[in-house]
Amino acid sequence: MIDGGEAIRFESVSKRFGETEAVKGLDITIEQGEFFSLLGPSGCGKTTTLRMVAGFEQPSEGRIFLDGQPVETVPPYQRNVNTVFQSYALFENLDVFENVAFGLKRRKVARDEIRRRVTAALELVQLPARSDAKPRELSGGQKQRVALARALVNRPGVLLLDEPLGALDLKLRRQMQLELKAIQREVGITFVYVTHDQEEALSMSDRIAVMDAGEVKQCGQPEDIYERPRGEFVAGFIGISNLLEGRVEDSGEVAIGNGLRIPAPLPNDCARGDAVQISVRPEKIAVQEIEPGMVSLEGRIETRVYLGVSTQITVSLGDGARLVALEQATYRAQADDRWEVGQRIRIGWRPEHCLVLR
Amino acid sequence: MSERRFASLTLLPGAAWLVLLFLVPLGITLAISFGVTDELGNALYAWHPENYDRVFDPLFAPVLLRSVGYAAATVALCLLIGYPVAYYIARFGGRYKYLLVALVVLPFLVNYLIRVYAWTAILSDEGLVNGVLEDLGLTSDGVRFLNTPWAVIGGLTYGYLAFMILPIYAALDRMNPSLIEAGKDLYATGWQTFRHVTWPATFQGVLAGSVLVFLPAVGDFVSAQLLGGPDTYMVGNLIQQQFFDANNFPFGAALTTVLMAFLLIFMVFYLRSAGRAAAEARA
Amino acid sequence: MSRKSIEGLLAGRMSRRDVLKVGGGVALGAGLSACGLGGGSASEADTTRVIEPKIDGDLVYFNWAQYLNPSLIKKFERKYGVQVRQSNFDSMPAMMAKLRSGNQYDLIFPSAEFADKLIKENQLLEIPLDKLPATEDIYQFFDDPWYDPGSKHTVPYSLYLTGLGYRADEIDTMTGSWRDLTNPQAEGRSYILDDFQEGIGMANLVNGYELNAVEPDQLEASKEYLIGLKPDLRGFSSDTITNMSSGNAWIQHLWNADVINIRYRVDDPTSIKFQQNREGIPVGSDVFAIPTNAEHPGTALLFIDFVLANSPKNATWTGYPMPTNGAEKPYADLVKSEPELQVTVETLEKGQQFANLEGTDRENWDRVWTEVRAA
């Protein structure tokens, strides 16, 4: 799937808008055929990064290489990249066929070939029947498909997608995620995908760069990001809470505030005395039903929130430290009425489910 | 009171206004257009449709054609000047956008007549423009701007430019800026993007602006009277002369009626196009 | 020069027969709504109300702007302890429209032609001249004017004549003829008045006809003359003061008093000259008149007498000659360098006055003018 050649390279790229620094010292290389996601909250610089690749913005510093060539002097309409816009940006006065053919016409592709390629592109996005429709007659999902076909039909070196599924409802979103991934596999084009939805990024990407305040906090494969988030921001953004402050002990255990020592798999570069954070995912925490080999702590239930299939319990450990546990409703009991607020309970987890963050 | 009933009541002042200040005078104009004048030159109601025969006297054909020509040239010039201005304000106005729009409207606080009259001073043989040209050494005895068809068209353009800028500005402001980027992204040069993306997306604004400029320009008499020469007589001057000098209200009213009917055709054409666009936008 | 024109615009001191009749939209509306109702309703009996020159209230005054020395109005107010409530019209049709829509004025200043119209419609009160001592001084020429037989309803106010104004510093080959309009030295900088009477009247005179000629053949010839004149003209314009003071006009068809006002505006007043033309001189007068529905005709009579008694001051301020013996000398002093501006009894006798054409004759004149402008 990834053939190894370099598609995009950022060299110390920064972008300032007046006083604000939208992107700071970006150094990333994106491989050909890769599905690469830029993940982060709004305002983190991910869209600016994408727009610099498209040519809509110029870097304030640094250089961008497309296919090995520097592109600072290349206007957008000469770059071998295409964009799928968040708002779709379909041309209302043109029908679906004409929208998809727009780029080919500008490149003076022969009429027969345009017809063939547009038809193929519409088939690829499963919209062959609507080629005479005007954009306003289409549903949100159909517009999305047209926008995709309009970009793909040009067979660009890189396809840039700016939160393309942001306007769709959840169900359609899930379906389109699968389709997008399938299409990307089929055409083999490099995708650079901007999103603020960690689940979307995790499920579709070959690699993810998590951005915050203009900087890349971590860049790696989804498993890396999820299992070994580097730093609090990445952990938080990727959906990890339950952080406890601690310090690495001689024993290789981590001592947390109230004197408890917790065995946890330490990263290689951790030394004795380092300040670290440990984290346990809520779904990995057992309440009362502690099994042998588990780390276990005592606490008091602070809040209880019914979520349907599960119930979320906040357990106070004293000293201001607290952990959140998710308990599934099972055949044995309704999760929501097993515990009372204020009740003292034991919680526990297997040591290997404990993450140590620096 | 039902909401529906209340809603129709709120229409009442506007409707009364329209009937009183538009339909009633229109009816009187129509009635007078079939009237005659007595020995003293007073208009009397009568049945004298011959007034209309005179309107179609070939003698007036050049006047009508000239008016349409001047108005069309005015529309073209307003578009040529107004589109870039609207484009600049909508796309690059930033936080000064509303200030710039206010500046476009500002001259309208001054009476049109006074503004055009001021142009006679600016365009005089020894006026401001010629003064600057002389200082620059471009002319020694003054370029004759005043009393030419160009001055008349210039006055009309100046007078009605804002009517072109505002609807185009509104259309550009409404337009999704990503469309322009999408055009460039799909290999269209700046010009191609304008032609294939921006222009079609703002065409309804252009159409509205053109109608708003054309209608008053074709019936205008101020510009031709103050800035025109011996051969720039427009249908507005012709009508004005019938009412003020010739004291021939019936013929003036007949001319007015025919002019309005002619302009109505334009309006209908425009409203149908705009209605279609609006219906499509709703669909 | 441009600065001057703008100053002039702001100063608002314009030709009496001004010019910006384009501003008459409101009057036009009023005219429209009154149309078809005008005339006819008044009878001759309405005009014979007995009135005395004594104060019977504030004076409601309706005149052109800048057409009467304002210091006289102040003096009158002080002398009689009344107010003069002024309003202005900007064209004769606008004045007529206001009258027809029922507005009440005590004193109006119509042209001779419109006085004729108003008298025929029984809209003007008879004026007891024997009770106004200052009317003694009025030229006998006006004892029985064409527009007011027996001079029963009007008192002459001012005099004017029409001729050519020109720039003596640019043109030194004027010949005393209307045909000087096409003088090549003007290089196309000549204007004729945008006024059907003055335009056709001038053409009639050039062709050797009566000023008021109505014969179809003659009108046709005058029409052809005017159309043939157009290529040599810069425009039809009654904004004579701006045209000449801004340098756009080197020859301008105008009224004599305009020259005085132009001279106030230019660096070298003596460069603005005026000629009466040998083919004929249109002359005319404006008059005082009291509408039949006036509420304070007594004050109006006193005002007429007061203004006539102060004619010299009024003539030198307005630039228009006044038809009284006393005003002749001061006005002559004013126009010493250009005596052709003066309107004496001889000028009046030599000149021709515009008639109030009616019916078909009027229609034909209008038609000719419309065709000239449209051609």
Side-chain angles (χ1 to χ4, degrees):
Chain A
M1 175 170 61
I2 298 174
D3 65 15
E6 150 195 319
I8 309 173
R9 189 167 84 246
F10 297 91
E11 264 184 22
S12 317
V13 171
S14 295
K15 176 67 184 175
R16 278 181 299 275
F17 295 105
E19 295 292 299
T20 25
E21 206 165 19
V23 173
K24 300 176 200 167
L26 193 67
D27 279 295
I28 300 180
T29 302
I30 297 171
E31 305 295 328
Q32 280 186 4
E34 202 175 13
F35 194 122
F36 190 94
S37 289
L38 293 164
L39 174 66
S42 62
C44 72
K46 57 190 192 298
T47 296
T48 304
T49 305
L50 198 76
R51 291 170 58 79
M52 286 193 286
V53 178
F56 303 141
E57 308 283 357
Q58 287 297 320
S60 308
E61 277 160 33
R63 307 181 84 183
I64 296 173
F65 297 82
L66 280 178
D67 218 7
Q69 300 299 313
V71 290
E72 55 262 31
T73 58
V74 184
Y77 57 87
Q78 286 174 356
R79 295 190 183 193
N80 189 23
V81 300
N82 287 112
T83 308
V84 176
F85 293 86
Q86 184 171 14
S87 58
Y88 315 134
L90 299 181
F91 306 128
E92 294 290 335
N93 54 310
L94 304 179
D95 65 22
V96 167
F97 184 94
E98 291 163 331
N99 262 281
V100 178
F102 191 92
L104 298 176
K105 273 193 188 157
R106 300 288 89 72
R107 285 181 147 185
K108 307 230 185 313
V109 174
R111 279 178 61 154
D112 292 353
E113 173 151 10
I114 289 181
R115 178 150 295 280
R116 207 175 58 242
R117 278 168 69 175
V118 170
T119 309
L122 287 174
E123 268 165 19
L124 183 70
V125 298
Q126 301 172 19
L127 263 186
R130 307 293 326 255
S131 68
D132 295 334
K134 285 282 174 75
R136 62 183 151 267
E137 298 164 340
L138 302 178
S139 70
Q142 289 173 324
K143 284 183 187 169
Q144 176 56 59
R145 288 162 200 266
V146 176
L148 191 62
R150 186 177 71 173
L152 281 174
V153 77
N154 304 298
R155 296 176 191 151
V158 177
L159 186 70
L160 306 171
L161 302 101
D162 185 8
E163 308 231 12
L165 309 181
L168 304 180
D169 64 56
L170 190 64
K171 200 171 154 212
L172 197 53
R173 228 178 135 99
R174 291 271 148 76
Q175 184 194 337
M176 286 300 295
Q177 285 171 10
L178 295 176
E179 280 185 34
L180 260 181
K181 184 67 187 164
I183 287 171
Q184 196 256 344
R185 283 209 189 93
E186 192 174 333
V187 298
I189 292 173
T190 311
F191 276 32
V192 180
Y193 192 95
V194 161
T195 181
H196 64 267
D197 180 337
Q198 80 281 3
E199 214 179 291
E200 195 166 285
L202 291 170
S203 67
M204 300 167 77
S205 314
D206 295 318
R207 278 197 304 150
I208 299 171
V210 183
M211 293 185 71
D212 177 42
E215 286 177 305
V216 173
K217 295 293 185 184
Q218 187 174 1
C219 180
Q221 295 176 358
E223 301 76 34
D224 275 345
I225 304 275
Y226 193 73
E227 299 298 339
R228 288 173 292 282
R230 219 175 293 144
E232 194 180 342
F233 174 81
V234 177
F237 196 78
I238 213 82
I240 300 171
S241 48
N242 279 350
L243 291 173
L244 298 173
E245 301 290 331
R247 191 169 291 281
V248 178
E249 297 281 306
D250 287 341
S251 58
E253 292 174 314
V254 177
I256 61 169
N258 53 10
L260 264 175
R261 285 157 181 245
I262 295 172
L266 284 176
N268 293 335
D269 52 350
C270 265
R272 185 172 62 88
D274 284 354
V276 293
Q277 290 169 311
I278 64 169
S279 166
V280 191
R281 293 186 183 284
E283 68 272 21
K284 308 282 192 191
I285 295 177
V287 184
Q288 288 297 45
E289 289 148 2
I290 311 296
E291 291 171 18
M294 277 186 169
V295 178
S296 89
L297 304 172
E298 197 180 84
R300 195 175 52 82
I301 293 181
E302 238 177 26
T303 62
R304 196 188 68 185
V305 181
Y306 174 62
L307 298 176
V309 291
S310 62
T311 296
Q312 179 185 296
I313 303 161
T314 312
V315 181
S316 163
L317 304 173
D319 283 352
R322 51 178 63 81
L323 287 174
V324 174
L326 270 182
E327 218 191 358
Q328 293 288 321
T330 67
Y331 63 93
R332 269 182 292 182
Q334 278 292 16
D336 63 319
D337 58 1
R338 283 177 72 188
W339 319 113
E340 294 300 323
V341 171
Q343 195 177 350
R344 293 201 75 79
I345 50 163
R346 285 199 82 74
I347 55 171
W349 60 83
R350 295 191 179 283
E352 65 266 30
H353 287 151
C354 183
L355 273 175
V356 179
L357 307 176
R358 308 199 46 187
Chain B
M1 193 182 331
S2 74
E3 197 176 331
R4 212 188 157 82
R5 183 109 170 252
F6 178 74
S8 48
L9 272 182
T10 58
L11 279 176
L12 213 60
W17 176 271
L18 259 178
V19 168
L20 215 67
L21 294 175
F22 180 70
L23 289 181
V24 170
L26 190 70
I28 294 174
T29 306
L30 202 61
I32 294 173
S33 73
F34 292 101
V36 292
T37 49
D38 66 9
E39 277 293 295
L40 295 172
N42 298 312
L44 301 175
Y45 294 121
W47 179 247
H48 189 71
E50 287 80 0
N51 294 328
Y52 285 90
D53 293 348
R54 203 179 155 203
V55 172
F56 295 104
D57 186 327
L59 176 71
F60 299 124
V63 179
L64 289 166
L65 279 178
R66 184 183 298 135
S67 304
V68 172
Y70 285 3
T74 302
V75 168
L77 266 176
C78 282
L79 189 57
L80 223 58
I81 300 167
Y83 203 108
V85 172
Y87 192 87
Y88 180 85
I89 297 176
R91 299 263 295 141
F92 307 111
R95 61 202 167 103
Y96 299 109
K97 225 183 215 178
Y98 300 107
L99 179 73
L100 291 171
V101 171
L103 285 178
V104 167
V105 183
L106 196 64
F108 276 71
L109 298 180
V110 179
N111 183 294
Y112 172 54
L113 172 67
I114 302 292
R115 286 186 289 138
V116 174
Y117 193 66
W119 274 90
T120 62
I122 294 168
L123 294 180
S124 298
D125 291 2
E126 298 171 26
L128 211 61
V129 175
N130 272 310
V132 171
L133 290 180
E134 264 172 59
D135 290 347
L136 295 174
L138 293 174
T139 172
S140 54
D141 55 352
V143 180
R144 202 169 293 186
F145 295 112
L146 214 56
N147 309 113
T148 62
W150 301 113
V152 177
I153 294 168
L156 291 171
T157 303
Y158 167 69
Y160 300 119
L161 182 58
F163 292 157
M164 183 65 90
I165 293 179
L166 292 180
I168 295 179
Y169 162 78
L172 280 163
D173 199 47
R174 252 195 329 266
M175 176 185 163
N176 178 0
S178 298
L179 287 173
I180 293 172
E181 291 180 346
K184 292 190 175 158
D185 190 70
L186 295 165
Y187 318 112
T189 59
W191 166 247
Q192 288 175 324
T193 302
F194 176 76
R195 185 165 131 43
H196 295 292
V197 178
T198 315
W199 176 262
T202 54
F203 186 68
Q204 281 303 319
V206 170
L207 208 56
S210 302
V211 170
L212 287 177
V213 170
F214 185 82
L215 294 186
V218 85
D220 187 272
F221 60 92
V222 172
S223 188
Q225 175 156 345
L226 294 182
L227 306 175
D231 297 312
T232 58
Y233 209 60
M234 292 176 70
V235 67
N237 303 94
L238 186 61
I239 292 174
Q240 199 243 5
Q241 190 193 327
Q242 301 316 312
F243 282 110
F244 279 92
D245 292 332
N247 219 5
N248 192 342
F249 279 38
F251 179 51
L255 278 166
T256 307
T257 307
V258 170
L259 180 64
M260 279 201 296
F262 169 73
L263 296 181
L264 202 66
I265 296 170
F266 270 83
M267 273 312 278
V268 167
F269 167 77
Y270 165 69
L271 288 175
R272 279 182 52 184
S273 159
R276 217 168 25 239
E280 282 175 357
R282 268 195 305 276
Chain C
M1 274 303 222
S2 67
R3 192 177 50 79
K4 276 208 175 118
S5 313
I6 289 170
E7 267 173 15
L9 178 66
L10 297 176
R13 197 178 154 96
M14 291 177 175
S15 163
R16 154 206 159 282
R17 283 234 168 176
D18 205 283
V19 213
L20 292 180
K21 50 185 159 188
V22 281
V26 175
L28 176 63
L32 261 180
S33 57
C35 182
L37 307 169
S41 61
S43 75
E44 205 176 330
D46 296 327
T47 70
T48 54
R49 176 152 55 115
V50 177
I51 51 176
E52 296 288 334
K54 61 168 198 282
I55 293 295
D56 50 7
D58 288 348
L59 182 73
V60 185
Y61 161 110
F62 197 35
N63 193 1
W64 300 91
Q66 308 280 336
Y67 193 36
L68 199 147
N69 189 338
S71 75
L72 293 186
I73 292 178
K74 282 214 190 68
K75 273 192 198 146
F76 179 80
E77 287 178 327
R78 233 176 293 135
K79 183 172 176 188
Y80 291 101
V82 290
Q83 279 205 329
V84 177
R85 300 215 303 273
Q86 302 188 49
S87 48
N88 302 121
F89 47 78
D90 57 9
S91 69
M92 278 292 126
M95 179 195 75
M96 292 297 271
K98 284 277 191 182
L99 288 174
R100 283 184 181 157
S101 50
N103 289 282
Q104 288 181 305
Y105 301 102
D106 298 327
L107 186 60
I108 58 174
F109 294 73
S111 68
E113 179 203 356
F114 277 80
D116 184 65
K117 254 188 234 289
L118 288 165
I119 291 165
K120 284 179 176 146
E121 292 179 17
N122 294 320
Q123 301 281 353
L124 299 182
L125 279 181
E126 289 190 0
I127 294 179
L129 290 181
D130 50 334
K131 293 172 185 164
L132 305 178
T135 58
E136 291 283 316
D137 266 344
I138 294 175
Y139 296 156
Q140 285 185 353
F141 182 83
F142 289 103
D143 284 356
D144 188 24
W146 65 269
Y147 52 85
D148 183 15
S151 196
K152 286 202 298 202
H153 305 83
T154 61
V155 178
Y157 173 65
S158 70
L159 304 174
Y160 59 85
L161 62 86
T162 319
L164 294 180
Y166 63 99
R167 288 271 298 269
D169 54 340
E170 300 286 357
I171 295 168
D172 56 8
T173 52
M174 295 295 276
T175 64
S177 160
W178 287 109
R179 293 186 189 271
D180 287 334
L181 276 166
T182 58
N183 187 322
Q185 282 185 325
E187 296 169 13
R189 290 184 180 85
S190 50
Y191 291 83
I192 67 173
L193 286 164
D194 185 9
D195 181 297
F196 81 101
Q197 279 184 322
E198 295 288 1
I200 297 173
M202 181 264 287
N204 281 343
L205 294 175
V206 170
N207 285 333
Y209 313 140
E210 291 291 310
L211 180 69
N212 294 305
V214 292
E215 287 300 316
D217 302 355
Q218 298 186 339
L219 277 181
E220 189 63 24
S222 291
K223 182 180 94 183
E224 291 308 322
Y225 171 74
L226 287 167
I227 292 172
L229 198 56
K230 282 169 82 171
D232 289 316
L233 292 179
R234 184 155 186 189
F236 292 79
S237 171
S238 303
D239 194 3
T240 61
I241 297 173
T242 307
N243 292 343
M244 287 216 73
S245 61
S246 66
N248 293 329
W250 286 1
I251 298 178
Q252 168 83 54
H253 179 204
L254 43 55
W255 293 289
N256 56 337
D258 294 351
V259 173
I260 310 264
N261 286 308
I262 294 161
R263 286 181 159 199
Y264 286 141
R265 299 271 190 91
V266 296
D267 297 331
D268 176 13
T270 56
S271 67
I272 308 296
K273 303 283 250 178
F274 181 78
Q275 81 175 17
Q276 299 177 2
N277 297 297
R278 62 172 168 270
E279 295 94 338
I281 305 165
V283 296
S285 64
D286 285 352
V287 301
F288 295 101
I290 304 175
T292 46
N293 65 355
E295 284 187 291
H296 319 109
T299 311
L301 287 177
L302 281 176
F303 188 82
I304 293 170
D305 197 55
F306 182 83
V307 172
L308 282 177
N310 290 285
S311 280
K313 269 187 193 153
N314 206 20
T316 50
W317 189 88
T318 59
Y320 281 92
M322 298 285 165
T324 60
N325 294 318
E328 206 167 302
K329 175 77 172 66
Y331 192 80
D333 288 345
L334 179 73
V335 299
K336 211 162 37 209
S337 62
E338 196 63 1
E340 300 215 340
L341 291 169
Q342 176 68 297
V343 185
T344 60
V345 176
E346 298 88 78
T347 327
L348 289 170
E349 278 163 356
K350 189 167 62 169
Q352 302 184 44
Q353 299 184 61
F354 285 108
N356 178 20
L357 297 175
E358 288 171 353
T360 328
D361 292 341
R362 169 70 203 250
E363 275 171 31
N364 288 338
W365 273 53
D366 287 331
R367 192 179 294 259
V368 163
W369 190 246
T370 299
E371 289 179 16
V372 167
R373 297 305 317 271

